[in-house]
Amino acid sequence: MVTNAPIAARRAHIRTHHGDQFEDPYEWLREKDSPEVIAHIEAENAHTDEQTAHLAPLRETLFQEIKARVLETDLSVPTRRGDWWYYGRTEEGSQYGIQCRAAATADDWTPPNLAPGLAVPGEQILLDSNVEASGHDFFSLGSFAVSDDATKLLWSTDFTGDERYTVHVRDLSTGTVLSDEIPNTGGAFFTPDGTGILYTTLDDSWRPDTLWLHRLGTATDSDVQLFHEPDERFWLGAGITRSRRYLVIGVGSSITSEEYLVDLEGEITAQPRLVWARNEGVEYSIDHAIIDGEDRLFILHNQDALDFELVSVAASDPQGERRVVIAHQPGRRLLGMDAFRDFATVEYRRDGLEQVGLLDYATDAVEELAFEEPLYSAGVGGNPEWHAPFLRLGYTSFVTPGTVYDLDLTTRDLLLRKRQPVLGGYDPAHYDQARAWATASDGTRVPISMVWKRSFGEPGDEPRAVHLYGYGSYEHSIDPGFSVARLSELDRGIIFAVAHVRGGGEMGRGWYEDGKMLNKRNTFTDFVACAEHLIEAGVTTANKMVAEGGSAGGLLMGAVANLAPSSFAGILASVPFVDPLTSILDPELPLTVIEWDEWGNPLHNADVYEYMKSYSPYENVRDGAPYPRILAMTSLNDTRVLYVEPAKWVQRLREAGASDVLMKCEMVAGHGGVSGRYNSWKERAFELAWLLDTLGVS
């Protein structure tokens, strides 16, 4: 039985760049195929199991609480495409979803009110992921598409977590799985005529770099290459406009994009036509509409428009005259637009919240949809048809479960189609949410969102346990959203809070720019400022607060641990990016070159190297610092943040004297952790049990 924390051997390894030498004695843990490394990881898992064994009853309680609140046999709101209603459903006891469809009548656009657990008349099961996952420890469904003529299905599978998917095809009229099987794919979808598959493949760095055309019934070695992107900084993706007129091929880095069109009224193998030539630092996306009989392209871009503007150009001459449709407005970050036959939707962010508007083609006026809660998330989704009488919307908040609305485009009535059921008597009126503001060291006001259960009093009445979450990278926003698992915290009196730190996108593009590259430290100091604000406001105390972040948010956790170790009782770091400099220095690692636009290029720039070294969690662990309890969660097959980063970090923390540092590594999983809903609930119960124990909450 393991009684002491595993201590890895120190082995000489010197990393030298820009005249700087860094001794990295745990770099040997990178050898994933080494039996010694696997044995060490298994010893870490055994140690974690032993140290958390006393939490087993609490873990089971939390798992049962999550499970008891979920309607296990349930189904989604059907979405109409062509002559079919498509929906997904789950069954009690099954880990994965089942994708289905049922025939629609010609003029009926009101989704059928299907009852969970009851047989659906005329149901056709398209794909049962439980069958697909049978015999595998891990399963991930990638692409899922039905041909336009509704006769064929394609889907892709990953059984290891490495995000390289294999495409399969089924004839829906016979149920026969065709011989067409395509490995090593990113995304995949049918050609409009249903005779072929368009798919991307990945290079050795896990970068989608090539678009291919596969004709059904032919060998994959005869597939036609339609487009290749040689620049290692750029990803490639493709899709077909909702109008079904154009194939759009897009390439992009974190800061630059370029798009091409193939007119599907001609040959799909025709030379793609450039929309706008790539211009370093300019991002754009396009959609197609027919306005007054003319083919137009809408282009959402940030050229001389920090928070983006929307313009319209002739599809026949996209580099010609631009007509401004929605002018750039500082502080209103335009996020996206979707063109339909008679109108378009626009999504944007203002004052830290998502907004949805309807764009009138004739007047360019935007009609903003109104929602009542002070904090919420709203967006457009599930609208495959070019012309329909309803617009499908998604909505949620910290206290409102996931909700599906259909907006009646004639009456503007918002029709409730479904709200995520929460069993056990959940009443949103028993909970509340609010936003507070911290002040960063440079005077910037940083928003904090909070949710709590009213019966325990208001935040600040007396110090309470707080679970503070943060991310702060890639312009990714942590928007208000409901969580069933979170109720187990709130019902025990914990306040859940989100620090909307710079590097995210909550407050616009400038908010992102102020938290990346040589401004990255703002992300970390903002989080510390949020924690300090909650303490100073009497919401909590340092020994009653646990911080959490994952992936790039795990980098935030590692940096915060070094900056303010005594400000937290515990830190939960999921798939944490805690050895960023080592990773970003190695262009052979998956995704590294692409990441240079986010973090800088320390390989060729000494200033970036020095700056990253100044905040890298692994390299700045402080000997003798009063580190809190730390739990690092990782996965052996993660290709985005390699397991070796937390493995090395944990060793360095113990070496520095941190007394309670644990690592749990899933041996068959990827960046998103384990697969299957019950497995995911158990994993979250494991994390929450550790969190509650750290906070002293039973």
Side-chain angles (χ1 to χ4, degrees), residues 331-333 335 348-355 374-378 398 435 437 446-449 476-480 498 500 504-509 511:
R332 181 191 61 190
R333 168 67 163 95
L335 300 172
Y348 46 98
R349 187 177 299 281
R350 188 182 62 237
D351 299 327
L353 292 178
E354 292 179 302
Q355 311 287 343
L375 300 177
Y376 64 86
S377 299
F398 286 116
R435 177 162 285 174
W437 296 84
V446 183
I448 308 170
S449 295
H476 176 69
S477 300
I478 306 299
D479 290 312
V498 177
H500 301 287
E506 286 89 342
M507 303 297 287
R509 173 51 67 90
W511 198 250

Side-chain angles (χ1 to χ4, degrees), residues 56-108:
L58 179 56
R59 289 198 295 265
E60 180 61 22
T61 296
L62 290 166
F63 170 73
Q64 293 299 335
E65 287 178 5
I66 296 169
K67 187 170 179 285
R69 290 187 175 110
V70 175
L71 183 61
E72 296 181 65
T73 299
D74 199 6
L75 38 71
S76 66
V77 179
T79 296
R80 179 155 180 176
R81 181 171 175 238
D83 295 330
W84 296 86
W85 289 106
Y86 291 87
Y87 57 96
R89 57 180 178 83
T90 55
E91 294 181 347
E92 184 174 354
S94 295
Q95 290 269 23
Y96 302 96
I98 303 169
Q99 303 300 319
C100 310
R101 70 179 181 181
T105 57
D107 298 320
D108 187 6

Side-chain angles (χ1 to χ4, degrees), residues 186-187 189 199-202 206-212 225-231 233-239 248-253 258 260 278 594:
F189 53 95
Y199 66 94
T200 57
T201 51
L202 289 68
W206 266 260
R207 177 181 67 99
D209 69 337
T210 308
L211 178 66
W212 301 86
Q225 178 177 306
L226 299 183
F227 194 94
H228 174 70
E229 175 51 53
D231 192 327
R233 298 175 302 159
F234 287 77
W235 292 52
L236 182 147
V248 180
I249 302 170
V251 293
S253 68
E258 182 177 63
Y260 296 79
R278 69 185 68 176
I594 292 171

Side-chain angles (χ1 to χ4, degrees), residues 384-400:
E385 289 292 330
W386 178 234
H387 176 58
F390 298 119
L391 177 70
R392 180 66 51 86
L393 300 169
Y395 178 90
T396 186
S397 78
F398 286 116
V399 299
T400 301

Side-chain angles (χ1 to χ4, degrees), residues 261 273-276 297 299 313-322:
L261 293 177
R273 184 161 52 94
L274 177 65
V275 178
W276 287 357
L297 295 180
I299 304 180
V313 299
S316 59
D317 183 19
Q319 298 175 46
E321 181 183 359
R322 306 180 188 181

